[in-house]
Amino acid sequence: MGMDATKWLETHVARLEAGADYAQAKVETDLSGYEASLESNTRVFQDLQDVFRKIQGLIAAPRGINGPWNNR
């Protein structure tokens, strides 16, 4: 009976450890994906900010007869 209990306990502990290892790996994968997403979004927002600054410059530029694009 003692050997059966030991074997049962070892089996269940091994399953729990495997489940915990899987959960940890999933968390790390999710965190890596989230971090990559944040970096990508940051770059996109920086690019948009650059475009908006250029547009603001065009809007603020002195306008000639033909608009700011043909100001000679």
Side-chain angles (χ1 to χ4, degrees), residues 16-29:
L16 291 172
E17 286 176 341
D21 290 345
Y22 172 78
Q24 182 63 34
K26 184 163 177 32
V27 166
E28 289 173 7
T29 300

Side-chain angles (χ1 to χ4, degrees), residues 2-14:
M3 267 320 230
D4 290 338
T6 301
K7 184 83 168 163
W8 180 86
L9 186 59
E10 287 174 351
T11 300
H12 287 286
V13 167

Side-chain angles (χ1 to χ4, degrees), residues 31-66:
L31 287 175
S32 295
Y34 180 68
E35 182 180 6
S37 174
L38 286 176
E39 290 172 2
S40 175
N41 290 345
T42 299
R43 187 65 217 149
V44 167
F45 287 127
Q46 288 171 342
D47 290 346
L48 283 171
Q49 191 174 29
D50 291 342
V51 169
F52 291 143
R53 284 189 183 129
K54 289 177 185 174
I55 291 171
Q56 283 178 328
L58 288 173
I59 291 171
R63 296 186 176 115
I65 294 173
N66 297 319

